[in-house]
């Protein structure tokens, strides 16, 4: 069963912010929320992760709802290099098995 | 430069043959993983290893085998028992399996296997 739900695809204009949503209504209290992205014909790469508080790094920001049942990955200024499939993943800290869904395919329009 | 290497990048195999995919990491990571990806789909876990000489089945282990004789190496054999082996195979590693906080998985570039 899918642990996270994401839209299949989204579009953004270059240099505009992008908000990628993820629903995880069955999240447990100890699950971490991870985001990875995958460029065509490459392995996924880490973007950001969080538990309860919002997080920022050089790539993106992660906004986590107060009830933790949803989260949003924010790319502040989309570039053409950000065109990829973005995966929202839950991880139980007792293990390190990542369950990848089908992700959101982001298209960036010049 | 630390990282994960997979070879070969493209692999062709005749039906009924076993084939071994290589995965090497020099990140000194304890845990390693193998995933399979089909077109337009997410990744599915085949096998994982928490430590040398130990490995566990993932969600789709049937038709595959692995070994973990060295910390840096985790080869995957696709056997003739795997009914539909054509796919993109990704190897990953992480510092450890489990534990709190930051435990990023680092992925290799992948091997695209085609069965003729």
């Amino acid at each position: 069963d899918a642990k996270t739900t994401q839209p299949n695809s989204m579009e953004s204009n270059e240099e505009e912010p992008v908000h990628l949503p993820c629903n995880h209504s069955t999240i447990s209290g100890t699950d971490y929320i991870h985001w990875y992205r995958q460029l065509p014909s490459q392995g996924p790469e880490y973007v950001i992760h969080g538990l309860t508080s919002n997080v920022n790094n050089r790539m993106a920001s992660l906004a986590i709802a107060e009830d933790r049942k949803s989260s949003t990955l924010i790319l502040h200024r989309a570039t053409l290099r950000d065109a990829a499939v973005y995966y929202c993943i839950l991880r139980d800290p007792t293990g390190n098995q990542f369950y990848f869904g089908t992700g959101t395919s982001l298209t960036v329009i010049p | 430069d630390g990282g994960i290497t997979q070879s070969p990048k493209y692999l062709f195999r005749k039906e009924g043959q076993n084939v071994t995919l290589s995965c090497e990491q020099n990140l000194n990571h304890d845990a390693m993983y193998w995933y399979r990806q089909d077109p337009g789909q997410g990744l599915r876990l085949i096998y994982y290893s928490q430590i040398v000489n130990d490995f566990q089945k993932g969600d789709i282990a049937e038709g595959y085998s692995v070994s973990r004789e060295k910390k840096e190496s985790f080869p995957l054999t696709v056997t003739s028992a795997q009914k539909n082996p054509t796919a993109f195979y990704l190897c990953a590693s992480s510092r450890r399996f489990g534990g709190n906080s930051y435990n990023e998985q680092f992925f290799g570039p992948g091997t695209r296997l085609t069965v003729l």
Side-chain angles (χ1 to χ4, degrees), chain B residues 93-108:
Chain B
S93 70
S94 65
R95 280 187 297 170
R96 60 189 177 279
F97 188 89
N100 289 326
S101 195
Y102 196 77
N103 207 2
E104 176 186 349
Q105 287 193 14
F106 293 81
F107 285 83

Side-chain angles (χ1 to χ4, degrees), chain A residues 32 36 38 46 91 93 96 101, chain B residues 33 37 42 94 99 101 104-105:
Chain A
Y32 281 84
Y36 279 70
Q38 185 177 23
Y46 169 85
R91 180 179 77 85
N96 207 38
Chain B
Y33 315 80
Q37 187 173 35
S94 65
S101 195
E104 176 186 349
Q105 287 193 14

Side-chain angles (χ1 to χ4, degrees), chain A residues 29-71:
Chain A
T30 53
D31 281 346
Y32 281 84
I33 301 161
H34 293 246
W35 284 81
Y36 279 70
R37 72 179 186 182
Q38 185 177 23
L39 279 64
S41 297
Q42 294 187 27
E45 63 174 349
Y46 169 85
V47 178
I48 201 166
H49 80 285
L51 183 61
T52 56
S53 305
N54 294 345
V55 185
N56 300 297
N57 66 20
R58 62 175 181 81
M59 289 181 72
S61 295
L62 176 60
I64 301 172
E66 200 167 327
D67 64 4
R68 302 211 323 127
K69 293 184 185 299
S70 65
S71 60

